[in-house]
Amino acid sequence: MKLMTGLLAAVLLLAGMGASHAVVRIADDRGGRIGTYVDRYQGLRSSGETVIIDGLCASACTIVLGAVPHNRICVTSHANLGFHAAWDFGANGRAITNPEATQMLYSMYPASIRRWIASRGGLTPRMIFLRGKALQAMFRPCYLDAQASANRAR
């Protein structure tokens, strides 16, 4: 039933949007190389598309928060952002923190995200997660959640 409700909400959301209001959904993205995400999100920024974060967006994926205008990002109740320091492969293939890349990554985030990260000790090799009410207080809720809630109430 939840799957059907979710599909119905997605269909209604997409049906109500014109071609200029395309949507990109992010879920289960563990990140990767920073440069790849910077390139991807530059195109997304100029496209005018709305970004729905509806699951895990970790590591380099979180660059979307600074690359796409705040008013074009929404979060569902399933959104989960994961942050950590940038790293490179060192000798013997071990991960070594890259302070310059970490600072560059940190500087890309909106002020509210930087404050949240700083209040938890900054970007370190340990992953920290922003989700739930704290995340929903920083970004607007997605229409998908509102539509799904309305359908459940019926």
Side-chain angles (χ1 to χ4, degrees):
M1 187 65 180
K2 283 185 180 181
L3 176 62
M4 189 60 85
T5 301
L7 289 174
L8 177 61
V11 168
L12 291 173
L13 173 68
L14 295 174
M17 297 183 152
S20 65
H21 292 22
V23 173
V24 173
R25 180 179 169 266
I26 297 175
D28 303 321
D29 190 328
R30 298 181 182 280
R33 296 178 48 95
I34 291 174
T36 302
Y37 281 81
V38 168
D39 293 344
R40 180 182 304 163
Y41 293 148
Q42 282 178 342
L44 187 56
R45 177 184 186 87
S46 60
S47 73
E49 294 175 303
T50 296
V51 175
I52 296 174
I53 301 176
D54 185 31
L56 180 64
C57 175
S59 192
C61 174
T62 61
I63 293 171
V64 72
L65 304 175
V68 174
H70 192 269
N71 66 342
R72 289 195 359 235
I73 297 174
C74 68
V75 297
T76 71
S77 59
H78 304 291
N80 185 9
L81 303 177
F83 302 90
H84 66 83
W87 56 273
D88 291 317
F89 286 112
N92 301 325
R94 292 181 17 190
I96 299 174
T97 299
N98 180 326
E100 294 83 17
T102 299
Q103 182 55 44
M104 180 186 74
L105 183 63
Y106 184 77
S107 70
M108 291 180 189
Y109 295 132
S112 60
I113 297 295
R114 289 194 310 266
R115 282 190 300 272
W116 183 87
I117 291 170
S119 74
R120 279 145 186 85
L123 294 174
T124 69
R126 184 181 60 85
M127 183 82 73
I128 55 175
F129 293 96
L130 173 58
R131 57 185 158 229
K133 292 181 194 273
L135 176 58
Q136 291 171 342
M138 292 183 199
F139 292 90
R140 69 183 171 89
C142 295
Y143 176 73
L144 263 173
D145 272 0
Q147 185 65 41
S149 296
N151 287 340
R152 272 189 296 250
R154 290 182 191 156

